[in-house]
Amino acid sequence: MGMERLPRLSKTVAASYNEMGRQRPATAFPFEVKTMLTVAKFGGSSLASAERFLRVREIVRADASRRVVVVSAAGKRHAADHKITDLLYLCHAHLQYGVPCWELWRMIAGRYTAIRDGCGLRFPIERELEAIYASLSPATPRDFLASRGEYLAARLMAELLEFTFVDAADWLRFDSAGNVLREASYAALRSLADGRKIVTPGFYGLLPSGAVHTFPRGGSDVTGSLAAAALHVDVCENWTDVPGILAADPSVVSRPQSVPYLSYAELQALSAVGMQVLHESAVEPVRRRRIPLQIRSSLEPELPGTCIGPEPAEKNEKNEAAVFAGRRSITMLRAERQGLVVKEYINNMPELLAAAARTLVRAGLSVVHLSCGLGQLTALVEPSGTDALHAAGEALAGALGAEETTLRENLSLIAALCRTPETAPRLAAAIQSAGVPIHHIAERAPCLLMAVNDSQYETALRAAYRAR
Ligand code: ASP
């Protein structure tokens, strides 16, 4: 089971071209037939129950190119449910405080046993569960325990799909600072996956010490992208519970459209301001190799989802509408100096910005955006203690030689991805006509950033969405 050997991955076949009986030299008209290869990464919501596991099998079987599957741990079956990873972290906290975690462990074991039984599998999961439970102590490393959610999900999925299980511990390597060792990891996966259909767990790998190390939360996305880059696949799919990237937050805008296409740069710009569809480190490995990322819903697999790729979006009506991301609770610091002449401003701008950034970071503030206008420095930062904000305000004024500084709290930031030159002024005008003042507006290509009162965030976003 699961060890079926296929032709080597991405096999290319050179064939000569014979036209109207005339034999052409093989080198003059070679064409290549390439076996397509897809990495399909399934998130926790696609793996929450036996029924969802079976749906994953249908999706994988529907396309023969899906030969590398990456899984998260089982997620929530419904809003009040628990993610397995959350339960594992909670178990670890209990162990730390010497509080028994048996009840929690039974919940975890029960979820995976029910998936195994509901899928009619024979995998002896009790043995695995008992071995993990028997090894638990206050010294159990947090990352190791958290990683078991992905490990167990992958064991079950491998049997269900009849694919080979490849442990992430056998290929994903970190250095001692927790950075992925790309070339070593890629080479290890290439040799383990070669010619096989595989399932591998997301979220974790090994440190040089041999200890398990996990990515931050949501990190199975990163594993999916690393696997895609390692194997030079044609497509990296990311299956989740939303039909791709939505043009605005559905909890604010009712039934927002889904976005057919984004470039990597556009996605990264929106993620920087709070769009949370994909782990932000998941873009870079595929971007480097120009592999398209496809975000799709396992609940509605018939929908195309969103494709994220290297090229700018094609110019057509469907693609022109703006896409929004937002971030609540922002504080604005502004220093102003009158009478600065343009030339002086332009000559000093790079140093000014660098000095301001250093000042803010030194004051312990987390900077979301920093911009410089004629005689004006504006910083959008995450909220912080009043003392730190005042100290930063003064230092900012010092950097510019400013007479005045303003501090404005309780703001929200709206980022609008604008694909035509007319979009930005239209959106700003719509927000203002809805009676919402814009306290700061800045271009951070390809997005327009607008800071509005937190209390008016919903009104502003709905007005902008209507005008997109
Ligand atoms: N299971 C981990 C989490 O819940 C990693 C992942 O799902 O990507 O964060």
Side-chain angles (χ1 to χ4, degrees):
M1 180 206 68
M3 293 296 289
E4 177 195 353
R5 288 194 80 89
L6 290 172
R8 290 170 69 88
L9 302 178
S10 301
K11 187 178 179 195
T12 54
V13 181
S16 61
Y17 180 71
N18 188 340
E19 192 196 41
M20 288 158 50
R22 256 183 309 137
Q23 188 72 42
R24 297 200 181 246
T27 47
F29 284 95
F31 66 88
E32 292 200 324
V33 180
K34 187 167 179 283
T35 314
M36 288 275 288
L37 179 63
T38 298
V39 162
K41 181 263 165 181
F42 292 90
S45 53
S46 306
L47 302 159
S49 61
E51 189 210 330
R52 301 220 184 147
F53 261 65
L54 292 169
R55 200 177 290 193
V56 167
R57 182 170 66 181
E58 260 173 54
I59 292 171
V60 172
R61 287 191 175 163
D63 182 338
S65 76
R66 295 184 180 124
R67 288 187 282 142
V68 177
V69 171
V70 177
V71 293
S72 292
K76 294 185 183 191
R77 290 159 291 183
H78 47 80
D81 200 12
H82 302 289
K83 292 182 180 180
I84 291 289
T85 310
D86 290 333
L87 296 175
L88 289 165
Y89 280 129
L90 210 53
C91 259
H92 184 261
H94 278 59
L95 290 168
Q96 292 294 288
Y97 288 99
V99 179
C101 65
W102 172 238
E103 286 305 321
L104 280 168
W105 186 255
R106 271 187 17 171
M107 285 169 78
I108 296 165
R111 293 277 304 273
Y112 280 128
T113 316
I115 291 172
R116 193 262 323 260
D117 295 342
C119 292
L121 302 174
R122 290 206 308 265
F123 180 67
I125 200 158
E126 291 80 3
R127 247 185 8 224
E128 298 274 350
L129 290 163
E130 274 158 28
I132 301 168
Y133 188 71
S135 75
L136 298 182
S137 78
T140 302
R142 188 170 182 266
D143 283 7
F144 168 75
L145 192 49
S147 72
R148 296 305 85 190
E150 269 70 11
Y151 170 79
L152 293 168
R155 297 301 306 235
L156 293 173
M157 187 56 77
E159 190 191 337
L160 181 64
L161 297 175
E162 299 180 53
F163 282 17
T164 304
F165 169 77
V166 170
D167 197 346
D170 291 333
W171 68 271
L172 213 165
R173 312 234 190 287
F174 294 97
D175 67 14
S176 48
N179 304 307
V180 176
L181 293 168
R182 291 232 178 132
E183 289 318 316
S185 302
Y186 288 180
L189 183 61
R190 271 199 294 273
S191 86
L192 289 167
D194 193 11
R196 296 196 176 94
K197 297 174 174 186
I198 65 158
V199 175
T200 192
F203 194 39
Y204 70 93
L206 279 198
L207 292 169
S209 64
V212 166
H213 180 68
T214 58
F215 287 115
R217 296 300 302 263
S220 299
D221 286 344
V222 187
T223 310
S225 293
L226 291 168
L231 302 173
H232 291 273
V233 303
D234 301 282
V235 182
C236 178
E237 292 178 337
N238 197 296
W239 292 86
T240 171
D241 56 354
V242 287
I245 289 177
L246 300 176
D249 179 352
S251 68
V252 179
V253 170
S254 109
R255 298 160 55 81
Q257 281 179 0
S258 93
V259 181
Y261 183 85
L262 284 178
S263 68
Y264 302 127
E266 289 173 336
L267 176 69
Q268 283 178 313
L270 289 165
S271 303
V273 194
M275 180 169 273
Q276 277 179 347
V277 178
L278 206 69
H279 193 287
E280 51 180 337
S281 315
V283 179
E284 206 270 331
V286 285
R287 182 180 186 160
R288 265 203 204 185
R289 301 218 154 149
R290 299 173 67 85
I291 298 168
L293 247 170
Q294 194 95 43
I295 300 182
R296 300 184 62 178
S297 166
S298 60
L299 306 176
E300 296 172 282
E302 63 288 354
L303 298 180
T306 301
C307 177
I308 297 146
E311 317 298 345
E314 248 175 62
K315 287 213 179 316
N316 64 38
E317 245 177 60
K318 243 183 159 182
N319 275 332
E320 276 184 1
V323 180
F324 299 92
R327 193 186 263 221
R328 312 299 297 258
S329 285
I330 292 284
T331 297
M332 184 176 91
L333 278 168
R334 176 173 288 162
E336 276 171 287
R337 178 177 155 196
Q338 305 298 321
L340 204 66
V341 291
V342 177
K343 198 165 169 206
E344 187 187 347
Y345 156 70
I346 290 176
N347 287 344
N348 294 321
M349 194 167 66
E351 293 84 55
L352 260 178
L353 279 172
R358 271 197 303 274
T359 303
L360 295 165
V361 171
R362 229 179 281 130
L365 298 179
S366 161
V367 183
V368 177
H369 181 73
L370 186 61
S371 56
C372 197
L374 185 59
Q376 191 189 78
L377 255 176
T378 306
L380 301 173
V381 298
E382 283 182 357
S384 176
T386 325
D387 288 351
L389 286 171
H390 281 295
E394 267 168 40
L396 210 57
L400 185 69
E403 298 88 18
E404 228 181 279
T405 52
T406 342
L407 173 68
R408 204 182 273 275
E409 293 178 275
N410 304 320
L411 298 180
S412 280
L413 190 61
I414 296 180
L417 169 68
C418 297
R419 282 166 166 168
T420 71
E422 308 82 51
T423 311
R426 189 171 69 239
L427 300 181
I431 291 176
Q432 274 161 331
S433 345
V436 180
I438 301 176
H439 298 295
H440 183 61
I441 190 158
E443 196 195 0
R444 186 161 74 193
C447 289
L448 177 73
L449 304 183
M450 292 168 284
V452 298
N453 294 330
D454 205 19
S455 58
Q456 292 176 302
Y457 173 74
E458 276 97 356
T459 312
L461 183 55
R462 287 189 199 114
Y465 185 82
R466 279 194 299 274
R468 72 196 271 268

